[in-house]
Amino acid sequence: MRFGVLTGGGDCPGLNAAIRAVVLRAGRAGHETLGFRDGWKGLRDDLTMPLPGAAVQGILGRGGTILGSSRTNPFAKEGDAEKVLATLGREKIDVLVAIGGDDTLTAARELAKRGGKVVGVPKTMDNDVAGTDWTFGFHSATAVAVDALERLRDTAASHHRAIVLEVMGRHAGWVALATGLAGGADVTLVPEEKYDETALLAHVRSAASARGYALVVVSEGIDLGPQRGSTGGKDEFGHELLREREVGAELARRIEAATGIETRSAQIGHIQRGGAPELFDRILATRLGAAAVDLALAGRFGEVAVLQGPRIRGIPLEEAVGTPKIVTPDWLDLLHTFDA
Ligand code: F6P
């Protein structure tokens, strides 16, 4: 068989480990792999990268993706889907491995509906793909956010300030939740809960009076009600560019105005997405990449490899896309145990 592989959507640590696993697992079974550059753009425009085993040596622990990525939606414009199918034919690809989050896997499902042979590998620092316990990228990216929070603790304590840390995560609060829990925030705001300014101010005052400073973690996806708002920028899948709303900076202004406590904010943005994958993400990406090849070899096209409990298994792409996995009440209950 001849495998194709692409990485689509926002990059995250672990992508190279997954690419390597696909290439080496396929190679071990006697099959070759061709890389497509920059996500679905590479499929549409036939931009390829040969991936002999030697090309993936030494990439396991490297951040980013050697294939490049993009948010190109191959089904947004008329005629693009045909171009994708034509590329698969021209390059003699028997099965495509699509590594990505909800958007990339949705495009993979669309391709499968049009007769394309495709299997999926879920990734995203947002951890919001349904059907899998974790996506790789999440642990590494959130560790960066936790490190940021710890650094902010030092300076907040020195200056007796409140500091708001804004983290990514789109409309799922997993990154904020885990950052707040692992970094010991005084209050953590996630999109899954209605914003309550009175409660926020109470937590900040309580932390500041108990120990002279306060730490707030906020997810970029939270709805603060009337605010400066975004510029209206959207990506090709129609997603609002959330960081432009600057909810962290807005919260800092509100906290300072209401409490008189000097307040700063930090938006760490894409710093979360770079850097080497941590142990968990390396192993998960490796397992999922290998499992996707196994699904393809078993003829289980249209499926995506996922982690459920200790096991990796295949589920239909249909079950993984469309409805993001959001933070559940039991996690929120745990989180609020530690509010100041
Ligand atoms: O989906 C991953 C993610 O990092 C989100 O957390 C964030 O909202 C978005 O991508 C940012 O996208 P871009 O890199 O296109 O600015």
Side-chain angles (χ1 to χ4, degrees):
M1 276 169 97
R2 189 160 147 88
F3 283 75
V5 61
L6 67 80
T7 52
D11 68 347
C12 69
L15 285 170
N16 284 326
I19 295 166
R20 171 179 174 270
V22 169
V23 171
L24 297 185
R25 186 72 158 198
R28 181 102 6 205
H31 308 290
E32 61 178 21
T33 303
L34 181 69
F36 288 92
R37 294 178 187 273
D38 302 338
W40 292 104
K41 182 171 185 279
L43 252 292
R44 186 191 63 194
D45 301 343
D46 202 352
L47 310 171
T48 61
M49 176 190 276
L51 288 177
V56 297
Q57 297 303 331
I59 67 166
L60 168 65
R62 271 170 51 193
T65 159
I66 59 164
L67 289 174
S69 192
S70 73
R71 294 197 184 278
T72 302
N73 181 353
F75 299 103
K77 278 198 229 107
E78 205 160 314
D80 282 2
E82 288 68 29
K83 287 185 191 166
V84 165
L85 287 165
T87 302
L88 289 174
R90 197 178 312 115
E91 298 294 350
K92 301 187 170 38
I93 300 299
D94 295 301
V95 57
L96 177 72
V97 181
I99 306 174
D102 189 56
D103 294 334
T104 304
L105 297 178
T106 299
R109 183 199 57 186
E110 290 307 308
L111 180 63
K113 277 188 192 163
R114 288 166 164 84
K117 287 184 178 154
V118 57
V119 291
V121 173
K123 69 83 213 171
T124 166
M125 65 158 283
D126 300 341
N127 194 40
D128 63 350
V129 176
T132 188
D133 292 353
W134 302 102
T135 50
F136 66 81
F138 169 74
H139 283 72
S140 306
T142 306
V144 173
V146 172
D147 178 64
L149 189 64
E150 286 178 343
R151 288 165 192 270
L152 294 174
R153 179 186 300 282
D154 293 344
T155 176
S158 302
H159 290 269
H160 314 295
R161 287 170 171 160
I163 301 191
V164 181
L165 172 63
E166 179 187 322
V167 298
M168 282 184 167
R170 200 157 263 170
H171 298 293
W174 295 107
V175 179
L177 170 101
T179 303
L181 272 178
D186 296 307
V187 51
T188 301
L189 307 178
V190 295
E192 287 83 352
E193 288 185 306
K194 194 168 162 19
Y195 173 62
D196 180 345
E197 191 151 304
T198 309
L200 165 70
L201 296 175
H203 293 312
V204 169
R205 285 196 183 98
S206 156
S209 74
R211 50 176 168 67
Y213 69 92
L215 291 174
V216 178
V217 173
V218 62
S219 170
E220 63 176 356
I222 194 172
D223 181 1
L224 289 181
Q227 58 172 324
R228 287 194 306 167
S230 80
T231 61
K234 292 211 162 95
D235 69 21
E236 277 199 25
F237 285 88
H239 302 299
E240 183 184 355
L241 304 177
L242 293 173
R243 87 197 129 74
E244 293 182 353
R245 297 161 69 218
E246 297 181 346
V247 291
E250 172 66 17
L251 277 182
R253 277 190 289 276
R254 293 188 191 187
I255 290 169
E256 186 165 300
T259 65
I261 300 166
E262 197 179 6
T263 307
R264 298 285 189 267
S265 67
Q267 187 190 49
I268 51 174
H270 293 79
I271 294 170
Q272 292 158 97
R273 294 232 303 255
E278 299 217 323
L279 171 71
F280 183 86
D281 287 335
R282 292 182 193 209
I283 301 294
L284 180 59
T286 299
R287 293 176 78 193
L288 292 175
V293 169
D294 294 348
L295 286 175
L297 293 177
R300 292 172 62 178
F301 307 117
E303 293 198 15
V304 53
V306 295
L307 175 70
Q308 292 184 351
R311 287 186 53 223
I312 302 285
R313 55 187 294 252
I315 62 170
L317 276 163
E318 198 61 44
E319 288 177 23
V321 301
T323 311
K325 182 184 69 180
I326 57 172
V327 173
T328 46
D330 51 329
W331 279 109
L332 296 172
D333 178 55
L334 177 67
L335 181 68
H336 294 312
T337 307
F338 306 102
D339 287 344

